[in-house]
Amino acid sequence: MAAGLSLLACQNPHPSRAPEAALPAEPASPQFIDDGFSRLYQIFLRRTLTSRQKTERWVREYKSHWVHWTGQLVAFSPTGLKFKHIQSTVTFDVSVIVNQPQRGQLRTALKIGKFYTYIARLDSYDDVFRTLYFDQGVILKPSPEGVPGQLVPMPPPLPSAGVPPKTAPARMPE
């Protein structure tokens, strides 16, 4: 038994990590979602689905997918930006990590209270603080003037049955 464990340990030099072959491959190009902020808010930041339903759906349909959204800049953080999307939000709805070199330039290029369009990859959500977290964020056309935008009212609750999962588009017969 001990010999079998030592042989296994030799085969995988990082026993806490899965072997490379077991890891899923990253898609060749970014996968964008069509859903806007309000839709994700209804699904993940309200308490209409169970934690298990949210987790399964997040992993299946949203995790590591990209968005192209516009939000109101409300704060700078050491690693990126905080955006507001809902009128009644007191703090922020979205936290975006922005990589260098753009992160270093944003404090002088952007103005708190203005709207900016960003592209970012969905990383996680927190349904207690009702926040979506993104990484790999990029601000499009950063300037002090910002872009046209507006905050939305609080998204309505989902029907009690929840939201049906996305279905793949029908294929045309060949």
Side-chain angles (χ1 to χ4, degrees):
M1 178 72 163
L5 288 175
S6 63
L7 177 61
L8 185 59
C10 291
Q11 291 172 345
N12 185 0
H14 303 286
S16 63
R17 250 192 310 177
E20 296 294 326
L23 297 175
E26 285 286 321
S29 62
Q31 302 292 312
F32 282 82
I33 61 167
D34 292 327
D35 293 344
F37 172 81
S38 293
R39 181 76 169 158
L40 268 71
Y41 186 92
Q42 289 175 305
I43 297 170
F44 298 105
L45 303 182
R46 289 209 178 255
R47 293 181 179 93
T48 53
L49 301 175
T50 67
S51 292
R52 182 178 179 159
Q53 289 171 317
K54 287 180 186 182
T55 300
E56 289 171 355
R57 186 148 189 192
W58 180 263
V59 170
R60 185 179 63 247
E61 298 177 21
Y62 295 97
K63 173 91 171 129
S64 296
H65 284 70
W66 295 75
V67 301
H68 182 253
W69 291 349
T70 298
Q72 183 182 38
L73 178 65
V74 294
F76 294 98
S77 73
T79 58
L81 307 166
K82 309 292 186 194
F83 288 96
K84 184 174 170 176
H85 286 261
I86 299 175
Q87 294 167 350
S88 61
T89 297
V90 175
T91 57
F92 58 92
D93 302 303
V94 170
S95 177
V96 179
I97 294 174
V98 177
N99 294 334
Q100 294 292 7
Q102 192 182 42
R103 183 187 329 147
Q105 303 162 354
L106 293 179
R107 285 189 187 264
T108 57
L110 305 182
K111 185 176 177 186
I112 300 289
K114 296 291 184 176
F115 287 84
Y116 296 96
T117 300
Y118 58 93
I119 294 175
R121 184 175 67 174
L122 286 158
D123 182 53
S124 61
Y125 64 91
D126 182 339
D127 61 359
V128 173
F129 291 104
R130 295 187 177 175
T131 304
L132 293 170
Y133 295 93
F134 295 83
D135 60 17
Q136 306 298 318
V138 174
I139 305 304
L140 302 179
K141 300 179 185 175
S143 72
E145 296 81 36
V147 298
Q150 66 182 41
L151 299 173
V152 298
M154 178 68 73
L158 294 171
S160 60
V163 147
K166 288 184 183 180
T167 57
R171 293 186 130 192
M172 297 291 283
E174 294 182 23

